[in-house]
Amino acid sequence: MTVVEQLAEFAAAQRATPIEEDVRHAAVRAVVDWVSATVPGSVTPAARGLTEALGPGPGPARLIPSGQDTDVRTAALLNGTAAHAAELDDIYRDAFYHPGAPTVAAAFAVADQLDVSGEDFLRAVTIGYEIGARIALAVGPAHYRHWHTTGTVGTFGAAAAAAELLQLDTVRFAGALALAATMAAGLQQTFRSPSTGKPLHSGHAAEAGVVAALAAERGLAGALDVLEGPAGFGVATAGITDLSVTGLGDPFCVTATTVKYHACCGHTFAAIDAALELRADGPRVEDIIGIEIETYETATRVAGRADPREPGEARFSLAYTVAAALVLGSVRLRAFEPEALRDPAIRDLMARTTTRVDPELDMMAPGRRAARVRVTDRQGASYERLRLTRKGDPEDPLSDRELRDKFDELVPPVVGRSRAESIASTLWKLPALTRMSALDWGAADGTRRRTPAEGD
């Protein structure tokens, strides 16, 4: 049995078993968090530009949060792009992977088309997270050296979610994953150089996954050994000749994701958390004359920009995000506004910052993303904090209340408090929805999309 056949058999077998309550609740949390990331992401230049280029149009799916109709492919592409654009989407830490952005975008697009129940939607999200994350674990750090796992492996997660909603049998489900492999893409150079293209990785993954599932439904067949074959995904993207997946459903990966507490690259989070602790009980910011950041190698490589000038660069800068944490007290969207990027206090601290790899902390990665921040004040006193986990990691998770607070901070400024409250109320009740059309996004002009039951 090939890897995609194994994954397809696993997914099909789950249909005979009710979703366990902890898994269901984790899936609900994942969707709430996805909306928290997608709504502010929808008004970023990257998402706005792509929406203007493609535009809404007739179709069974909806753009989020406008509620405008469009076709399934465009909904997956645009919503998937928006979900990754504000750098607020969740993380599967051990695999350097953002599962939610492409997976939930694909699930929403197909769920709108089919108007399935909330329970079926959550099952698809769970399966998409599981298959994507297990493949991401299989290709591992070797893949992440050059490829952006969210763009590549995210295509499998999206295809799996779509295939589950379409109720594909094991043959066609495996075919969907096989087709997804040959459409997967996303190069790390896109975010190592000045660029606004990174969110497109997630959007493309969502769209390609949906296309793969729809094509497989109609009988298109992919190469079933495309993951482990001699010219397959494993060899081509990670140099792995014996790619295999293990641990399916033990536990379900949707229960072990990291929820982002800061609006930037996850490799900066431990350092930000340490800096916030220092801000609370360390020296005054104006007295700091030196900052040392010690962390794992991938963090210094991916987030090592010393002098960022644009928001996209600043989100991938340990020096900037730590300085912003010390000056502003948080590293959310405000930290990447022009005023913050030009703030002389932040720029002064950046100039006083050094970053290096700590061998012991590096050995803990990727299972733990740790950082030590040390500051020195004008009197020569030294203060340091070591963070072995990040706020939002499975070992230090956000509570439901904290997750709702994140939603309430990010969504109302875009859609208004009344619409945000209505959306949140429905999202937390997803398991009880008989049809996904009951999730009424509304529209900016106050109009409401009619559901299929209401006629043409």
Side-chain angles (χ1 to χ4, degrees), residues 62 111 114-118 426 430 432-439 448 451-454:
R62 293 176 284 181
L114 302 177
D115 204 15
V116 300
S117 70
T426 308
L430 275 171
L433 292 190
T434 57
R435 297 185 310 169
M436 286 298 289
S437 57
L439 178 52
R448 179 179 179 275
T451 69
E454 296 171 320

Side-chain angles (χ1 to χ4, degrees), residues 262 264-265 268-277 321-322 325 330-331 371 373:
H262 313 296
C264 48
C265 173
T268 67
F269 284 10
I272 293 172
D273 291 337
L276 291 173
E277 291 179 5
T321 53
V322 165
S330 69
V331 190
V373 176

Side-chain angles (χ1 to χ4, degrees), residues 165-235:
L165 286 166
L166 293 165
Q167 292 286 284
L168 300 188
D169 61 28
T170 55
V171 172
R172 297 194 179 201
F173 199 119
L177 296 178
L179 290 171
T182 204
M183 293 191 285
L187 293 168
Q188 280 211 16
Q189 198 62 46
T190 300
F191 54 86
R192 292 196 198 179
S193 301
S195 165
T196 55
K198 181 173 180 276
L200 187 57
H201 289 175
S202 172
H204 169 74
E207 179 193 20
V210 167
V211 170
L214 292 173
E217 182 187 34
R218 297 295 179 175
L220 273 74
L224 294 180
D225 60 351
V226 70
L227 287 179
E228 69 270 36
F233 187 81
V235 170

Side-chain angles (χ1 to χ4, degrees), residues 336-378:
F336 304 99
E337 294 293 331
E339 182 180 0
L341 290 167
R342 295 191 298 263
D343 188 319
I346 293 176
R347 303 212 72 84
D348 178 66
L349 287 180
M350 286 171 54
R352 301 173 183 272
T353 299
T354 59
T355 302
R356 74 176 188 89
V357 175
D358 181 294
E360 291 185 4
L361 301 185
D362 191 48
M363 288 179 64
M364 297 179 185
R368 284 187 181 271
R369 310 291 180 85
R372 179 185 294 104
V373 176
R374 184 181 300 110
V375 300
T376 304
D377 68 13
R378 298 184 187 281

Side-chain angles (χ1 to χ4, degrees), residues 185-332:
L187 293 168
Q188 280 211 16
Q189 198 62 46
T190 300
F191 54 86
R192 292 196 198 179
S193 301
S195 165
T196 55
K198 181 173 180 276
L200 187 57
H201 289 175
S202 172
H204 169 74
E207 179 193 20
V210 167
V211 170
L214 292 173
E217 182 187 34
R218 297 295 179 175
L220 273 74
L224 294 180
D225 60 351
V226 70
L227 287 179
E228 69 270 36
F233 187 81
V235 170
T237 68
I240 296 172
T241 58
D242 59 347
L243 188 147
S244 62
V245 294
T246 59
L248 288 164
D250 185 25
F252 277 94
C253 295
V254 75
T255 67
T257 57
T258 294
V259 173
K260 278 196 170 187
Y261 204 54
H262 313 296
C264 48
C265 173
H267 294 305
T268 67
F269 284 10
I272 293 172
D273 291 337
L276 291 173
E277 291 179 5
L278 287 167
R279 187 179 193 270
D281 54 18
R284 297 185 307 168
V285 171
E286 55 268 31
D287 290 334
I288 294 174
I289 62 169
I291 302 172
E292 298 172 73
I293 303 170
E294 300 171 344
T295 187
Y296 54 99
E297 186 273 336
T298 301
T300 64
R301 172 165 48 84
V302 175
R305 291 174 175 82
D307 187 28
R309 297 290 171 173
E310 301 293 335
E313 295 176 322
R315 286 187 164 96
F316 286 82
S317 170
L318 283 158
Y320 178 83
T321 53
V322 165
L326 290 168
V327 173
L328 302 176
S330 69
V331 190
R332 290 284 179 88

Side-chain angles (χ1 to χ4, degrees), residues 76-98:
L77 172 62
L78 297 182
N79 291 336
T81 298
H84 198 51
E87 293 287 349
L88 286 159
D89 48 323
D90 64 8
I91 305 166
Y92 191 70
R93 178 187 59 196
D94 294 359
F96 303 100
Y97 174 45
H98 298 273

Side-chain angles (χ1 to χ4, degrees), residues 4 14 59 67 116 131 134-135 137 173-174 187 199 211 224 229 274 277 304 315 324 349 407 417 421 423:
V4 296
Q14 299 308 304
V116 300
I131 287 178
R134 296 298 174 182
I135 294 174
L137 283 171
F173 199 119
L187 293 168
V211 170
L224 294 180
E277 291 179 5
R315 286 187 164 96
L349 287 180
F407 181 98
R417 188 151 298 279
E421 179 61 37
I423 292 167

